[in-house]
Amino acid sequence: MSEQILKTEFSEVMQKSYIDYAMSVICARALPDIRDGLKPVQRRVLYAMDQLGLNHDKPHRKSARIVGDTMGKYHPHGDSSIYDALVVLAQDFKKGMALVDGHGNFGSIEGDGAAAMRYTEAKLKKFTQDVYLADLDKNVVDFGPNFDETEKEPVVLPVKVPNILINGAEGIAVGMTTNIPTHNLKEVLDGVIAYMDNNDITTAELMEHIKGPDFPTGGIVVNKSELLSIYESGTGKIKLRGKTVFEPAGKKGEKDKLVITEIPYTMIGANIGKFIADIVELIETKKLTEVMDITNESSKEGIRIVLELKKNADVEKIKNILYKKTKLEDTFGVNMLAIVDGRPETLGLKSIIEENVKFQYEINTRKYTYLLNKELEQKEIKEGLIKACNIIDLIIEILRGSNSLKDAKDCLVNGNTENIKFKNKESAIYAGELSFTEKQAQAILDLRLYKLIGLEILALEKDYEDIVNRIAKYEDILENKSSMTKAIKKELEAIKKEYSVVRKTLIEDGKEAVVIEEKPVEMEIAFLMDRFGYAKTIDMSAFDRNRDTVMSENKYVFTCMNTDKICVFTDTGSLHQVKVRDIPFVRIKDKGTPIDNICNYNSSMESITGVFPMGAMRDNKLLFATKLGMMKLVDASEFDVSKKTVAATKLMEGDSVVSVYIIEADRVTESYGDNIYDDMGDGIFSDETGQMAMFADIMESGGNIVTNGQEEAGEFVTEKLVVLRTANNLFLRFPLKEIPEKKKGAVGVRGLKLGKEDTVTNVYIMDAGDSVIVDIMGTEYDLRRLSTKKRDQSPQKPKK
């Protein structure tokens, strides 16, 4: 076996395998193709339905049959993913133009799931047949082998419209994601025609036709002025709002109502239930005091969520609270990423239309080339039949005088009369001059006698004339780009005329929702954050009852006021701030929310080195230590700013923050009087002369041991010490007072002399005499056994 084993570097194998996997997910599963705007599973579902003959004018077929054919022939990735794709293609509240006609329970806008595939049925919509699957038999796209090379499947569907804009797309690949909003069919086709008329058209000019997204749920886009930059770059955020209607009380006993008739596209599904729950919570917490009740009267006819109001309620204030505190106002993150020529690429609006038009020219060139060849073939046959009708007596004589079909065909094609008996020599001479083509000869042999009727001959000549005209038309289209453009535009106009729908989403620049909030009641709460970055706050009673559990399960635990701010320091030298009230106040069993989602911290690019409440930092100092050994103290007041993210410290190239500590202000500036030190942490002090004495002896002689800046005789306050640990397990201990106070924009001073390739990994703050145990390769060491040196010295090995 040894000679059959290939030895290779493990990291190289893993890298290649991961890249292959990533590209497979990106190109063959998660992202749509720019040409037809479909993911592979969607394309295969539609093609399988076309092959099953599930046309719009035929009966529905069981979804399980469609899924089975798709999985068995084209998409061997599991039936649930195929059925999910089929369901979404049939949901008109998710797609701008639904492509599948579903029969049965295909889910609802409120998040109800579809029935099992054995209970539902489906067929293609007429729009899908005419616009997505037409001309597949005309060699307009390439076909490739399926997964086991037993079938052929189209590489791309010959879609005649920019489906990626009309139906949008969403998908999560490896390291990238796509999220494209839906648009109005008529507007998109107008934009395509405008681009074909002028290839130099700008995005702003295109937006005269394509006003913006058109979501199937309606709603309002309220940042119209930002759409141009979004469509130019292909990325950005669209701000959406639901539509509300005020219904004043009618009959006696009725109440005024605020009715939500349209929702943001992002609220589809379970978010509708969450929206209602959020409103209930606002009512219970007295933040929506003018709302008495809420009911969901939505049906198949549309969304209708009714809020019953108190008499003379301030409707604008209620709407602003809903926009500010619930999902009635939300953002749609746009990232127009698609597969272009086999590679993922982010495109703007013009680039998408440009790629689509290029594809239209390609499929139409192939279509008209195919049609031209067919017509040329028919022209050849018709010419042979017309010629044969003119000499039909000779043809009949050849057929009667032939011993076999082969001899007759040979005579028609090559003029060979050897094996044919003629009534007279003249016929033999004429027959010898015949030179029909193979196709003409076969058509003559297949000719039925009734075709010799006078009217049939006239019809044959008329067909020939029509064929000649079509050939001229197809040649003109293929030879002249203007003719090709005219043909494509004519087709687009026909699609627009038959299938265009009215725009549902309103585009405007809405006013910012402003809510004047009452100042919350100040109270102490507990902040918790686990090692995965999930943060939450809980009330103090729950914290006190479960203190041990909380301490063991969370990395950062402290108490703070609910009006405070939480400061998150990272290794990149940044400070991210978040208001405590923006952190979920939940039950102790609830998971919380990732800190990434509530502040600017990005866990994929930076790591947390310290989390503190601003209240604990105020009036104190912060100690910064970096990987390259730079240290400084900064007054915490420098971080009491309104910005969500600021630079907390300056770093040299290749450096990063290792630790951030809060140091009480009165423990920083040291005044020793006679400079008495406890080097070993064992209660034995030495003075400047090097003489040793016990603490009791010094006190008895009236000496002062003051390590916190106070100078009261006889007071013993231990000194703050800093211990730095390096990657090579070397340590340096020195007094905290040797670290100077600097501004946050300063680099700091060197804490120790690092050896080559060595870095600082840990920082310990301790009082003289404290016992701090560290583990080094399974052996425990006490840091109080370290000698106290001065800053900027070489580190040493610890003592057991």
Side-chain angles (χ1 to χ4, degrees):
M1 291 292 292
S2 60
E3 66 275 4
Q4 298 178 11
I5 297 173
L6 299 175
K7 293 185 178 180
T8 185
E9 179 62 37
F10 182 73
S11 61
E12 293 177 3
V13 174
M14 289 299 293
Q15 184 180 33
K16 183 180 183 303
S17 300
Y18 186 77
I19 290 173
D20 291 345
Y21 162 75
M23 290 307 297
S24 174
V25 172
I26 291 166
C27 297
R29 295 191 76 170
L31 299 184
D33 192 296
I34 189 64
R35 296 171 291 178
D36 61 7
L38 298 170
K39 298 179 187 179
V41 64
Q42 296 170 327
R43 185 180 304 119
R44 289 163 177 168
V45 166
L46 295 177
Y47 181 65
M49 293 178 74
D50 182 62
Q51 293 300 103
L52 283 168
L54 302 183
N55 297 339
H56 74 281
D57 53 354
K58 299 289 178 64
H60 293 82
R61 190 78 64 88
K62 282 287 185 186
S63 299
R65 172 64 191 277
I66 298 168
V67 171
D69 263 42
T70 305
M71 183 169 61
K73 291 182 178 180
Y74 313 114
H75 196 77
H77 293 295
D79 57 354
S80 61
S81 64
I82 298 170
Y83 185 52
D84 288 346
L86 174 65
V87 167
V88 171
L89 289 171
Q91 292 177 329
D92 55 8
F93 53 84
K94 280 191 178 178
K95 293 294 180 184
M97 298 290 290
L99 304 180
V100 171
D101 181 4
H103 186 214
N105 177 14
F106 272 80
S108 74
I109 194 171
E110 296 182 59
D112 301 316
M117 57 186 163
R118 61 183 178 274
Y119 299 122
T120 61
E121 299 175 338
K123 63 179 179 179
L124 293 168
K125 284 193 173 255
K126 186 174 185 296
F127 174 72
T128 313
Q129 283 182 248
D130 293 347
V131 180
Y132 287 68
L133 297 164
D135 302 331
L136 267 176
D137 58 342
K138 296 182 176 63
N139 191 35
V140 289
V141 293
D142 292 331
F143 278 70
N146 69 338
F147 61 92
D148 61 359
E149 299 187 1
T150 58
E151 299 278 346
K152 292 285 186 180
E153 61 174 320
V155 174
V156 64
L157 292 184
V159 181
K160 300 176 182 179
V161 297
N163 177 60
I164 203 165
L165 288 175
I166 292 164
N167 276 326
E170 59 178 333
I172 301 172
V174 179
M176 57 187 69
T177 180
T178 186
N179 204 25
I180 303 172
T182 58
H183 293 77
N184 184 271
L185 173 66
K186 179 182 179 300
E187 292 181 6
V188 171
L189 295 186
D190 284 339
V192 172
I193 292 169
Y195 174 80
M196 295 178 78
D197 289 337
N198 175 20
N199 291 165
D200 297 323
I201 193 171
T202 64
T203 304
E205 290 169 337
L206 274 175
M207 289 183 65
E208 293 177 10
H209 305 281
I210 305 172
K211 308 297 183 184
D214 186 23
F215 296 103
T217 56
I220 308 169
V221 171
V222 293
N223 60 335
K224 179 180 179 181
S225 57
E226 297 176 17
L227 291 180
L228 178 58
S229 64
I230 292 172
Y231 280 137
E232 283 182 336
S233 64
T235 59
K237 290 184 179 180
I238 296 172
K239 190 179 289 187
L240 302 173
R241 283 182 185 170
K243 280 185 183 176
T244 58
V245 175
F246 176 69
E247 295 181 359
K251 298 176 183 178
K252 188 177 180 181
E254 288 187 354
K255 292 181 169 41
D256 292 342
K257 296 175 181 177
L258 183 64
V259 182
I260 296 155
T261 57
E262 294 179 11
I263 58 174
Y265 185 69
T266 52
M267 201 192 284
I268 288 176
N271 280 330
I272 294 179
K274 186 180 183 305
F275 167 67
I276 294 172
D278 288 343
I279 294 178
V280 171
E281 185 180 349
L282 289 171
I283 295 171
E284 291 175 348
T285 55
K286 309 298 182 185
K287 292 179 180 177
L288 265 178
T289 54
E290 294 179 303
V291 176
M292 298 181 64
D293 195 12
I294 178 171
T295 54
N296 186 3
E297 300 176 4
S298 302
S299 63
K300 289 183 179 180
E301 281 67 44
I303 293 293
R304 182 177 169 84
I305 300 171
V306 181
L307 280 67
E308 288 189 3
L309 310 180
K310 290 182 179 179
K311 192 174 182 181
N312 300 322
D314 187 342
V315 177
E316 286 303 314
K317 179 183 175 183
I318 294 169
K319 285 163 63 175
N320 283 340
I321 292 174
L322 294 177
Y323 291 146
K324 207 74 174 176
K325 299 290 185 181
T326 71
K327 288 280 186 179
L328 193 62
E329 178 176 295
D330 204 0
T331 56
F332 182 96
V334 177
N335 188 24
M336 298 201 285
L337 183 73
I339 301 299
V340 182
D341 296 329
R343 297 178 61 183
E345 187 176 330
T346 302
L347 304 104
L349 179 64
K350 183 180 176 181
S351 299
I352 289 175
I353 291 176
E354 183 181 357
E355 290 291 336
N356 178 262
V357 170
K358 190 198 305 181
F359 181 57
Q360 295 308 313
Y361 279 114
E362 179 186 329
I363 61 176
N364 276 276
T365 299
R366 294 179 65 162
K367 171 185 171 181
Y368 286 111
T369 300
Y370 175 86
L371 292 174
L372 176 62
N373 291 335
K374 283 288 183 183
E375 294 299 339
L376 288 172
E377 182 180 326
Q378 286 299 310
K379 177 175 179 285
E380 177 186 337
I381 291 170
K382 298 296 182 187
E383 286 175 343
L385 290 174
I386 291 171
K387 182 179 178 182
C389 287
N390 293 331
I391 55 170
I392 193 63
D393 294 336
L394 177 62
I395 300 294
I396 292 172
E397 191 172 344
I398 292 170
L399 294 175
R400 293 187 68 180
S402 300
N403 294 322
S404 66
L405 189 64
K406 182 180 178 183
D407 291 341
K409 190 172 184 180
D410 189 30
C411 179
L412 292 173
V413 174
N414 302 312
N416 186 357
T417 59
E418 290 181 5
N419 299 322
I420 299 175
K421 297 176 181 178
F422 291 95
K423 291 181 179 180
N424 55 66
K425 293 183 179 180
E426 288 183 359
S427 296
I429 295 170
Y430 287 131
E433 294 175 352
L434 294 178
S435 59
F436 289 102
T437 65
E438 288 279 346
K439 291 178 182 177
Q440 289 174 335
Q442 188 61 47
I444 292 168
L445 294 173
D446 293 338
L447 185 68
R448 295 186 178 185
L449 289 176
Y450 80 89
K451 290 288 185 181
L452 300 177
I453 297 173
L455 290 176
E456 290 294 329
I457 294 174
L458 291 175
L460 178 65
E461 291 174 346
K462 179 69 170 59
D463 287 346
Y464 177 73
E465 185 181 342
D466 291 342
I467 289 170
V468 171
N469 291 335
R470 285 197 293 271
I471 288 173
K473 175 186 173 183
Y474 297 155
E475 287 177 340
D476 178 54
I477 289 173
L478 290 170
E479 291 171 5
N480 301 304
K481 188 175 181 180
S482 60
S483 299
M484 174 77 77
T485 301
K486 186 177 179 181
I488 295 172
K489 285 166 64 176
K490 183 179 179 181
E491 200 166 28
L492 294 180
E493 290 288 357
I495 293 170
K496 186 171 67 172
K497 182 177 180 180
E498 183 172 358
Y499 297 107
S500 62
V501 293
V502 178
R503 165 174 278 280
K504 297 176 182 177
T505 302
L506 181 64
I507 309 289
E508 65 181 24
D509 275 318
K511 294 180 180 178
E512 183 72 23
V514 178
V515 178
I516 301 174
E517 296 184 2
E518 297 178 3
K519 191 175 181 181
V521 178
E522 193 171 12
M523 65 177 182
E524 188 178 25
I525 57 175
F527 170 86
L528 318 176
M529 188 166 80
D530 63 20
R531 61 192 180 92
F532 300 108
Y534 282 81
K536 61 185 176 183
T537 57
I538 61 174
D539 63 60
M540 287 302 298
S541 59
F543 174 65
D544 291 335
R545 288 194 307 270
N546 302 275
R547 185 180 292 269
D548 292 341
T549 304
V550 167
M551 300 300 288
S552 63
E553 292 181 353
N554 292 279
K555 186 174 182 179
Y556 298 99
V557 181
F558 50 76
T559 61
C560 59
M561 303 306 293
N562 63 338
T563 55
D564 205 350
K565 290 189 293 187
I566 302 300
C567 300
V568 180
F569 292 89
T570 71
D571 61 344
T572 60
S574 297
L575 163 63
H576 305 293
Q577 296 190 99
V578 58
K579 293 177 181 178
V580 172
R581 67 170 178 265
D582 292 337
I583 301 169
F585 185 74
V586 296
R587 297 173 301 173
I588 195 166
K589 291 183 179 179
D590 292 338
K591 191 169 182 64
T593 300
I595 196 72
D596 305 52
N597 294 357
I598 49 181
C599 71
N600 293 335
Y601 169 68
N602 187 342
S603 58
S604 64
M605 302 183 68
E606 52 189 339
S607 300
I608 295 174
T609 55
V611 180
F612 314 107
M614 179 58 74
M617 291 167 48
R618 200 170 281 116
D619 300 327
N620 288 316
K621 313 288 183 186
L622 287 181
L623 173 65
F624 288 84
T626 74
K627 182 175 73 173
L628 299 182
M630 304 307 293
M631 304 187 75
K632 67 177 178 181
L633 286 163
V634 182
D635 194 294
S637 62
E638 292 199 43
F639 305 109
D640 195 357
V641 294
S642 58
K643 289 185 178 179
K644 288 187 176 181
T645 300
V646 294
T649 185
K650 185 177 180 180
L651 295 172
M652 296 187 297
E653 186 176 351
D655 204 359
S656 60
V657 177
V658 173
S659 294
V660 181
Y661 286 95
I662 295 178
I663 306 295
E664 295 176 12
D666 61 354
R667 302 296 301 277
V668 177
T669 307
E670 315 295 347
S671 175
Y672 287 89
D674 293 330
N675 295 324
I676 301 173
Y677 298 95
D678 174 9
D679 290 332
M680 302 300 292
D682 54 7
I684 301 177
F685 295 81
S686 62
D687 61 19
E688 288 182 320
T689 64
Q691 294 178 334
M692 307 301 292
M694 291 299 290
F695 166 70
D697 296 333
I698 298 170
M699 293 300 295
E700 200 171 280
S701 62
N704 293 336
I705 302 178
V706 183
T707 59
N708 67 341
Q710 302 174 40
E711 301 208 4
E712 297 176 12
E715 182 178 353
F716 175 68
V717 182
T718 56
E719 176 189 8
K720 277 288 183 189
L721 300 173
V722 179
V723 180
L724 300 180
R725 179 178 181 175
T726 74
N728 293 333
N729 289 318
L730 300 176
F731 294 79
L732 177 66
R733 186 174 79 167
F734 58 87
L736 176 65
K737 68 170 186 176
E738 295 191 5
I739 301 175
E741 183 175 333
K742 301 277 187 180
K743 294 291 184 182
K744 68 179 182 182
V747 174
V749 297
R750 189 165 63 173
L752 78 170
K753 291 181 179 177
L754 286 170
K756 191 176 182 181
E757 304 297 330
D758 204 2
T759 57
V760 173
T761 57
N762 297 86
V763 180
Y764 306 94
I765 306 297
M766 58 188 292
D767 291 327
D770 279 355
S771 180
V772 178
I773 306 299
V774 296
D775 183 274
I776 302 176
M777 300 180 69
T779 304
E780 293 185 343
Y781 295 85
D782 192 342
L783 297 185
R784 73 175 181 175
R785 305 294 298 172
L786 290 169
S787 299
T788 301
K789 296 187 175 183
K790 290 187 178 293
R791 179 182 60 78
D792 199 17
Q793 302 291 310
S794 297
Q796 62 189 36
K797 289 186 178 180
K799 298 177 182 178
K800 291 185 182 179

